[in-house]
Amino acid sequence: MASKLTPPLNQYDHVLGAQHPVIELIEFGDYQCPHCGAAFPIVKQLQKTYVKNMLFAFRHFPLTNAHEYAFTAAVAAEAAGRQDRFWEMHDLIFENQDQLSEELFPELAKAIGLNMAAFGRDLADPALTEKVEADFESGVRSGVNGTPSFYINGHKYNGSYDYDGLSAAIEQHITVKH
């Protein structure tokens, strides 16, 4: 039996894409995971291909035992989100994945024009730490067993994260909906 997304997509998720989607693609990811870094351009390509039909959401699943900066990166993305720049920070973190450090996050924040005083305060806000932890707990409850893990319309996708595999699964869901 396929694992279900728990909780379902909700107002706490950062979403990007169609307002009335046929497809909801949710990724549980870790900003320092090389496989997530490899999946990043594939997700971008899928967003372009299915721009009219797909909504994409990203939930944090930092593997802190393996990746020193994964949790801080997730909090930095959330801090940028408070200034409506989650997706810009998300993209920059992945684009600079091989350079992650405590010093990099303020540089990225500056690059996207964040209010640096607010960004600094938000990095230390326990509410953002709790948001990242809630995303991680959601992943555990949803059956995430590695990153990246994808859910399509609330059901775990167990195939490869390459473009062809994800696209075929999305097409199958679109066909079923019509």
Side-chain angles (χ1 to χ4, degrees):
M1 185 169 176
S3 299
K4 293 186 84 172
L5 183 67
T6 307
L9 198 63
N10 60 61
Q11 74 272 18
Y12 301 111
D13 287 302
H14 296 280
V15 297
L16 199 58
Q19 288 193 339
H20 304 289
V22 176
I23 297 298
E24 293 177 349
L25 178 67
I26 293 90
E27 177 184 0
F28 282 90
D30 171 325
Y31 286 115
Q32 203 170 358
C33 161
H35 298 287
C36 296
F40 173 70
I42 293 164
V43 170
K44 288 288 187 193
Q45 190 176 358
L46 290 168
Q47 289 176 296
K48 286 181 185 168
T49 302
Y50 299 103
V51 66
K52 293 181 181 176
N53 298 322
M54 188 176 88
L55 180 136
F56 174 67
F58 184 86
R59 287 187 181 171
H60 305 289
F61 201 80
L63 302 172
T64 55
N65 289 341
H67 301 136
E68 179 180 3
Y69 301 111
F71 195 90
T72 305
V75 174
E78 289 296 325
R82 282 205 170 153
Q83 297 183 46
D84 296 323
R85 298 285 175 80
F86 176 85
W87 291 109
E88 290 95 330
M89 181 64 89
H90 169 87
D91 291 357
L92 278 179
I93 292 171
F94 273 128
E95 290 165 5
N96 293 281
Q97 185 183 52
D98 60 338
Q99 302 171 41
L100 293 185
S101 68
E102 295 293 335
E103 296 77 27
L104 180 67
F105 301 118
E107 289 177 28
L108 298 178
K110 198 176 293 183
I112 58 173
L114 294 184
N115 174 317
M116 295 306 293
F119 180 73
R121 280 192 306 274
D122 289 338
L123 279 180
D125 186 340
L128 295 187
T129 299
E130 291 169 11
K131 164 66 168 87
V132 172
E133 290 170 348
D135 277 6
F136 186 88
E137 178 63 27
S138 163
V140 171
R141 291 171 43 204
S142 300
V144 170
N145 54 7
T147 57
S149 283
F150 291 95
Y151 289 75
I152 300 173
N153 290 350
H155 299 279
K156 188 168 186 188
Y157 166 75
N158 289 310
S160 169
Y161 64 80
D162 62 28
Y163 181 83
D164 290 342
L166 279 165
S167 180
I170 288 169
E171 290 289 341
Q172 187 176 21
H173 280 268
I174 290 173
T175 302
V176 169
K177 285 262 184 177
H178 288 112

